[in-house]
Amino acid sequence: MKQISIIGIDLAKHVFQLHAVDAHGHKVFSKQVRREKLRLTLAQIPPCHVAMEACGSAHYWARDIGTLGHEAELLPPQAVKPFLLGHKNDARDAAAIAEAAARPATPRVTIKTEAQQSLQAVHRVRSRLVRERTAVGNELRGLLGEFGLIVSQGHAVIRQGVIRERLDEQRARLGEELYTLLNDLLDQWLENDARIARYDKRLQRLARASDDMQRLMSLPGIGPINATLLFSHLGDPARFPNGRQFSASLGLVPRQHSSGGRNQLMGITKRGNGEVRKQLVHGARAALRQFQRQEHPDRLSRWACSLAARLGQRKAIVALANKMARICWSLLAHERRYQPQEAA
């Protein structure tokens, strides 16, 4: 046991595969351990590096294993895949994790705290409710259109009771079965809308209680939803050397395909957390709309407006989202609020 340097663990629900190597990369043991005995097994091993893939329950196990005196590390699955030898099975997966962990160049995933994961859970549930609300609204409008009832798009039409009035007026023509069905769909939409509003209020309350989130919201295009989502994803800004690395982790930088000294930049990479990237793009769209209405633009808004005029709205929005990600990192890293710079 004293020879163990790295332990690679292939996580599962009930049976975990462990692969231990020494400082020279030679295998010490490879065995299966059931869930209820994993903590006891690791507690009997002298402190060492314990590596796992960043997957379901990985952050929980990393925090728990860290309390035993081990140095827990999470590796991105795409960084482990090249070290898999032969056909895939649990033993080879654990060996690949241990081999990847021995390479200093292998990137690491920052272990999230319980508070970060709780905040991300709120956003996941809210995003699912937004998707359901959109699906129910489209289904409701589609069925109404099949029976000659055309209503305008937008949430306000449903919230203000326009569809309910139309259904009551056409109840006799639609029949009881269809009338009941459409009313049930309408109730589902309103219930999801009310739940989303409750989650929005919870996020607003959390954003007001945090100085870091207040700093993020000083930037145009960053509201309570974006601020809480960015804060839960970024955590400690010191894990990124600069803002460009943070924006690259979100997939907002151009994809490169260069060879022979010829540099070729393509579309954005779309790597990293898709939800954070999507919300940043939405925030950039709102910020650009705000910039274009300003009478006395600052340096950022003037740059965004000129880019939109030269390259188009969509490219300007993505470029602005990239710049906003860099600014957000700077605001948290240097603990300051956003100060607009006057245009030259």
Side-chain angles (χ1 to χ4, degrees):
M1 290 298 182
K2 294 181 181 180
Q3 301 174 344
I4 295 177
S5 175
I6 299 174
I7 299 178
I9 302 180
D10 184 40
L11 297 177
K13 290 183 178 179
H14 303 293
V15 180
F16 299 77
Q17 182 73 38
L18 275 62
H19 184 92
V21 297
D22 60 15
H24 301 287
H26 300 146
K27 183 173 74 172
V28 178
F29 67 78
S30 179
K31 62 181 179 180
Q32 289 185 343
V33 178
R34 294 198 63 82
R35 182 185 186 90
E36 58 272 12
K37 294 184 179 180
L38 177 63
R39 204 173 192 279
L40 177 61
T41 300
L42 294 176
Q44 297 172 351
I45 299 175
C48 62
H49 290 271
V50 179
M52 297 161 284
E53 279 186 336
C55 58
S57 75
H59 291 277
Y60 161 76
W61 282 113
R63 291 192 300 265
D64 193 48
I65 291 171
T67 61
L68 301 175
H70 300 292
E71 186 176 345
E73 295 179 342
L74 297 181
L75 310 179
Q78 62 268 26
V80 176
K81 183 67 175 177
F83 297 96
L84 182 62
L85 301 176
H87 297 287
K88 184 184 184 306
N89 56 46
D90 292 345
R92 287 174 176 164
D93 285 344
I97 293 171
E99 182 67 26
R103 308 296 177 106
T106 302
R108 267 64 175 175
V109 176
T110 303
I111 300 171
K112 297 188 181 301
T113 64
E114 290 185 356
Q116 285 179 278
Q117 284 195 285
S118 299
L119 194 53
Q120 285 189 334
V122 174
H123 278 281
R124 288 193 185 98
V125 175
R126 181 188 176 278
S127 296
R128 191 256 303 166
L129 289 173
V130 170
R131 290 194 301 270
E132 288 182 0
R133 182 181 65 180
T134 302
V136 173
N138 291 338
E139 186 176 21
L140 179 60
R141 287 188 177 87
L143 289 174
L144 288 171
E146 290 293 329
F147 291 89
L149 298 177
I150 306 302
V151 294
S152 302
Q153 292 185 353
H155 298 330
V157 175
I158 304 180
R159 292 194 187 110
Q160 293 170 0
V162 175
I163 293 182
R164 186 84 73 183
E165 294 177 0
R166 298 287 300 275
L167 287 177
D168 292 339
E169 293 172 358
Q170 301 291 330
R171 181 170 185 173
R173 185 173 70 84
L174 296 174
E176 284 301 318
E177 287 294 331
L178 183 60
Y179 174 81
T180 303
L181 173 66
L182 295 175
N183 263 294
D184 183 57
L185 283 176
L186 183 57
D187 290 338
Q188 290 181 38
W189 191 97
L190 293 172
E191 182 180 357
N192 282 339
D193 190 54
R195 288 183 177 180
I196 293 170
R198 289 196 294 269
Y199 280 110
D200 288 344
K201 290 181 179 179
R202 183 184 303 181
L203 294 175
Q204 290 173 4
R205 186 172 63 252
L206 292 172
R208 287 194 298 265
S210 170
D211 292 337
D212 287 331
M213 297 183 197
Q214 290 291 328
R215 295 188 187 98
L216 291 175
M217 288 193 294
S218 65
L219 176 65
I222 302 296
I225 294 175
N226 256 329
T228 52
L229 186 59
L230 281 166
F231 182 77
S232 65
H233 176 73
L234 177 57
D236 183 12
R239 67 190 183 97
F240 294 101
N242 50 52
R244 199 271 177 191
Q245 297 298 322
F246 175 57
S247 65
S249 71
L250 298 177
L252 287 169
V253 299
R255 184 161 52 92
Q256 191 175 32
H257 187 77
S258 304
S259 178
R262 179 175 177 270
N263 296 326
Q264 183 179 2
L265 299 180
M266 308 173 75
I268 60 173
T269 64
K270 295 186 179 180
R271 292 180 176 177
N273 193 307
E275 181 67 18
V276 180
R277 183 175 61 253
K278 179 186 74 174
Q279 293 296 343
L280 262 178
V281 171
H282 287 335
R285 183 179 292 109
L288 180 60
R289 200 176 297 126
Q290 176 186 345
F291 292 159
Q292 291 171 338
R293 292 195 298 261
Q294 287 182 357
E295 295 182 1
H296 304 286
D298 57 18
R299 185 175 177 181
L300 177 64
S301 59
R302 186 174 181 178
W303 169 83
C305 292
S306 65
L307 195 66
R310 191 171 70 252
L311 299 178
Q313 292 280 119
R314 295 184 178 181
K315 290 183 179 179
I317 288 170
V318 175
L320 181 58
N322 182 13
K323 189 172 286 289
M324 287 170 57
R326 299 187 186 202
I327 296 175
C328 287
W329 176 89
S330 178
L331 297 179
L332 293 181
H334 300 101
E335 297 183 353
R336 60 189 178 191
R337 297 176 67 88
Y338 175 69
Q339 298 293 333
Q341 295 180 348
E342 295 297 329

